[in-house]
Amino acid sequence: MTELDAPGTNPFDVAREAAAHIAEATGVAKHDVALVLGSGWGGAADLLGETVAEIPSHEIPGFSAPAVAGHVATTRSIRINGSDKHALVLGSRTHLYEGKGVRRVVHGVRTAAATGAKAVILTNGCGGLNLDWAPGSPVLISDHINLTATSPLEGATFVDLTDLYSSRLRDLAREVDPELPEGVYAQFRGPHYETPAEVRMAGRMGADLVGMSTTLEAIAARHAGLEVLGISLVTNLAAGISPVPLSHEEVIEAGQAAGPRISALLAKIVERI
């Protein structure tokens, strides 16, 4: 098994190795769409269709067990309801704050592309700056601000991000729920929550949502040729917007409360894609 971070290793070779492992373990030669399910979104996998196979993620080259409560530890191949298409549900998302390196953060989406997927849905739980979005509200990501001070692209790799979050896929999502709002997502490094001043800064930059994931994966997905749909679940009002201190338990509780509704929404979007 090739080590993702070993000197001289090509991360795309490891992604192809991971894709070959998934194909062998699932018996599915090609996946059509991939999903990364963040806090609150895990239940969606059960509504997508028939689970063909489930693999402990740490057994797949380049993946490791999740480090965050509320994130699943398995990768699933699912035959999508009413079709012969397959979805790859990627478990064990790696966050930048875990210190495992950017390659590991984006390995999932690169592997998805190597399995044959043409689109990826990136979800997360996040803090909201808009008082109209109560905890439990799903919001389409229209654009992002990367405040991590890093990129998943190495060397002179220039990628246009003008339509990074696909307008076509956002339109499909609004066919399912015409009331879905959209906003700009800002990613901080974490793992600490943002200060009120940092939230005000992000808001002045144009952000509506703040969190600790997604932007690096989206960039890598675009580079790998995937069409990207991003959806945030507002699990809490951001620091300085919220009158109470923030906690991860609050994030999990809000995700659990909204779970059935947002899972049904996501399943219907996947069927349309």
Side-chain angles (χ1 to χ4, degrees):
M1 185 183 297
T2 306
E3 284 296 327
L4 186 58
D5 301 313
T9 298
N10 183 331
F12 295 95
D13 288 342
V14 184
R16 285 187 285 270
E17 185 179 337
H21 180 99
I22 290 169
E24 182 178 358
T26 63
V28 177
K30 175 181 179 293
H31 288 83
D32 302 278
V33 62
L35 297 92
V36 179
L37 301 181
S39 297
W41 294 93
D46 295 327
L47 302 180
L48 295 176
E50 175 195 355
T51 296
V52 176
E54 194 165 357
I55 317 165
S57 295
H58 68 272
E59 295 180 0
I60 305 171
F63 286 80
S64 54
V68 181
H71 292 169
V72 296
T74 58
T75 292
R76 294 166 69 172
S77 176
I78 297 175
R79 185 178 295 109
I80 300 170
N81 289 320
S83 77
D84 59 354
K85 306 294 185 181
H86 289 83
L88 182 68
V89 180
L90 294 160
S92 301
R93 178 185 235 161
T94 297
H95 292 76
L96 185 62
Y97 58 69
E98 294 175 40
K100 297 176 181 176
V102 178
R103 283 185 174 185
R104 201 167 290 271
V105 171
V106 303
H107 181 57
V109 296
R110 286 174 171 163
T111 296
T115 69
K118 300 301 181 187
V120 63
I121 301 176
L122 302 173
T123 67
N124 61 57
C126 71
L129 278 68
N130 188 328
L131 290 172
D132 293 334
W133 299 341
S137 300
V139 180
L140 298 173
I141 299 176
S142 60
D143 204 345
H144 79 223
I145 301 170
N146 176 10
L147 297 175
T148 69
T150 191
S151 169
L153 308 183
E154 302 173 25
T157 305
F158 306 111
V159 178
D160 178 38
L161 303 180
T162 303
D163 188 31
L164 173 56
Y165 296 94
S166 167
S167 56
R168 184 186 78 87
L169 294 185
R170 298 204 309 275
D171 288 343
L172 284 179
R174 279 189 287 261
E175 289 178 8
V176 176
D177 181 356
E179 302 302 317
L180 277 174
E182 65 179 37
V184 175
Y185 177 90
Q187 180 182 350
F188 288 81
R189 291 181 69 98
H192 52 274
Y193 290 108
E194 306 78 23
T195 68
E198 288 168 339
V199 170
R200 290 196 300 272
M201 175 193 72
R204 287 170 183 156
M205 287 179 171
D208 306 289
L209 308 158
V210 292
M212 306 175 193
S213 67
T214 304
T215 71
L216 301 178
E217 292 160 300
I219 295 167
R222 166 53 62 87
H223 178 233
L226 294 168
E227 195 172 10
V228 179
L229 176 65
I231 313 179
S232 290
L233 172 67
V234 176
T235 55
N236 55 273
L237 294 174
I241 309 294
S242 171
V244 298
L246 306 182
S247 72
H248 187 60
E249 290 73 21
E250 177 187 16
V251 171
I252 294 175
E253 289 172 6
Q256 289 173 340
R261 180 170 55 85
I262 63 173
S263 295
L265 168 71
L266 191 54
K268 291 175 182 176
I269 292 172
V270 169
E271 289 177 14
R272 286 182 180 269
I273 292 176

